[in-house]
Amino acid sequence: MTTTLEIDLANILSQKYPRGFHAPADIEIGTFLEFADDDWSYQLNVEDLLATKQLIGIIWNVRLILDERPDLTNDQAWTVLQACQSHFEQVTDPIRGTVRAVADELFPRSQGKVAVRALLTQIEQRLEAFSDHKRIDAAAYDAIASTLEGIAKILGGQ
């Protein structure tokens, strides 16, 4: 599904520059638009725009509500949809489960030593990125050291 938004640039320019703007000469926006050879509307592909920023957007419309509740009017369905928006935006456990399942399907997790090495690399990267000036409770460092000692023992270390 391709979703486009039509942008009315004439309206945007008129609102942004109600008194015109100064180039080498003052031009009233209305006069500029009147003599321009353009309708000043532009269709923007929402999916392409989001993809450039590595984002996705889930676009819902009143049809979703009306499919479930055909007895509602369009205005009532719109009210329901607006009330649902905050729930749709929440990252819930089922959503996280779906993300994990799809990621595991597309990119199966490493097993054994490879998985442990990857985890250790991540931990080391986080440790290196950690500021020496940021203060952490000494007990937190003790807990980390204790956990690592336990891992060393499991692996047969001293």
Side-chain angles (χ1 to χ4, degrees), residues 74-94:
N74 274 0
D75 287 343
Q76 290 171 326
W78 174 237
T79 300
V80 171
L81 188 62
Q82 288 176 300
C84 290
Q85 183 174 358
S86 64
H87 300 286
F88 292 158
E89 292 172 344
Q90 292 175 4
V91 178
T92 61
D93 287 340

Side-chain angles (χ1 to χ4, degrees), residues 69-157:
R69 288 286 307 274
D71 58 308
L72 299 178
T73 67
N74 274 0
D75 287 343
Q76 290 171 326
W78 174 237
T79 300
V80 171
L81 188 62
Q82 288 176 300
C84 290
Q85 183 174 358
S86 64
H87 300 286
F88 292 158
E89 292 172 344
Q90 292 175 4
V91 178
T92 61
D93 287 340
I95 290 172
R96 290 180 189 279
T98 300
V99 168
R100 281 191 299 273
V102 171
D104 289 346
E105 182 180 319
L106 293 173
F107 306 99
R109 291 179 186 261
S110 301
Q111 300 291 319
K113 282 185 181 181
V114 173
V116 173
R117 282 190 181 111
L119 181 57
L120 288 171
T121 299
Q122 286 179 353
I123 292 169
E124 186 175 16
Q125 289 169 348
R126 289 179 187 168
L127 181 61
E128 289 302 317
F130 194 73
S131 169
D132 290 333
H133 303 293
K134 188 172 183 178
R135 297 182 53 81
I136 282 193
D137 182 359
Y141 282 117
D142 290 344
I144 292 168
S146 176
T147 301
L148 290 174
E149 287 170 3
I151 292 170
K153 286 179 183 175
I154 290 171
L155 295 174

